[in-house]
Amino acid sequence: MVKSLRHLHHKMGPYTITYFGVRGRCGAVRIMMADQGQEWKEILVDFADWMKGDLKATCVFGQLPKFEDGGLVLHQSNAILRHLGRNHDAYGKDGKEAALIDMMSDGVEDLRLKYGKMIYQEYDTGKDSYIKGLPNHLDKFEAVMAKNKTGFLVGDKPSFADYSLFEVLLNHLVLCSSCLDTFPSLKSFVEKMSARPKINAFLDSDAYKKLPINGNGKQ
Ligand code: GTS
């Protein structure tokens, strides 16, 4: 009932992403929209244009991505994922599940930040030790995934935290193709998410494949 009323007041979309030509912080957002059967418009921003500063001046935190849902303008990739979670019923079945999903999403963010630091600041000197330390981060997600038994982090269908974890794991598999070999639940999670028809089609699209993972070309 609440949900149908909310839909009366808030017409979803059309969604628009304004971002640089990378997967970066829109990777999970795009995968989630694709899996939810949404269409969206992409405005790709050239870094030289960005440096002129006009667009930056209009961004709440001076950064991209920018996400538009009709008249709603959002920044912060995790706020965007949460918004999609609310719009598409991918934020748990009740407040308790939502809290656990938030917790897992923050855990993914911690890993995403460590990965970004390595990629952007210490790729040449720090890549090997990062890969060596990776099991110590992945085992936490493995434990949650193994315990839940549904193939998702929380509940029995994908939440925005699952899309975020999935995308971070795809990037880590590019960094180190064997990194999930000792984590059977995560490995099966990635295989099953990749095989979902709409995700499979999106990952196979030129729109996805043409974009580098990170802005500095390292991966
Ligand atoms: N916490 C923000 C989010 O999650 O959206 C971080 C956004 C961010 O760092 N944006 C970078 C940016 O706009 C690009 S990227 O790291 O996402 O690739 N950089 C340009 C600038 O002028 O800061």
Side-chain angles (χ1 to χ4, degrees), residues 106-165:
D106 284 5
V108 175
E109 175 64 15
D110 286 351
L111 181 59
R112 200 181 277 288
L113 287 171
K114 287 188 186 91
Y115 170 82
K117 184 165 181 256
M118 180 277 295
I119 290 283
Y120 284 100
Q121 296 172 25
E122 50 204 37
Y123 188 84
D124 295 330
T125 53
K127 181 183 160 182
D128 292 345
S129 66
Y130 179 87
I131 290 173
K132 223 169 163 189
L134 201 48
N136 196 31
H137 300 296
L138 296 180
D139 63 353
K140 313 300 184 292
F141 296 101
E142 171 71 18
V144 171
M145 198 63 87
K147 193 167 171 221
N148 194 38
K149 291 192 180 70
T150 61
F152 305 108
L153 286 168
V154 180
D156 57 7
K157 62 180 188 169
S159 72
F160 70 87
D162 289 297
Y163 295 107
S164 193
L165 176 63

Side-chain angles (χ1 to χ4, degrees), residues 70-120:
L72 174 71
V73 179
L74 275 181
H75 291 274
Q76 293 292 353
S77 54
N78 289 306
I80 298 165
L81 284 172
R82 283 184 164 78
H83 179 66
L84 290 172
R86 282 183 289 262
N87 272 4
H88 300 289
D89 197 15
Y91 208 147
K93 68 171 169 8
D94 56 23
K96 277 187 189 168
E97 277 196 8
L100 294 170
I101 289 166
D102 279 341
M103 175 180 80
M104 295 317 298
S105 170
D106 284 5
V108 175
E109 175 64 15
D110 286 351
L111 181 59
R112 200 181 277 288
L113 287 171
K114 287 188 186 91
Y115 170 82
K117 184 165 181 256
M118 180 277 295
I119 290 283
Y120 284 100

Side-chain angles (χ1 to χ4, degrees), residues 19-20 22 24-25 47 50 56 62-65 75-78 109 120:
Y19 195 46
F20 305 109
V22 296
R25 285 198 163 270
F47 204 70
W50 174 256
K56 185 178 176 77
Q63 292 193 309
L64 297 176
H75 291 274
Q76 293 292 353
S77 54
N78 289 306
E109 175 64 15
Y120 284 100

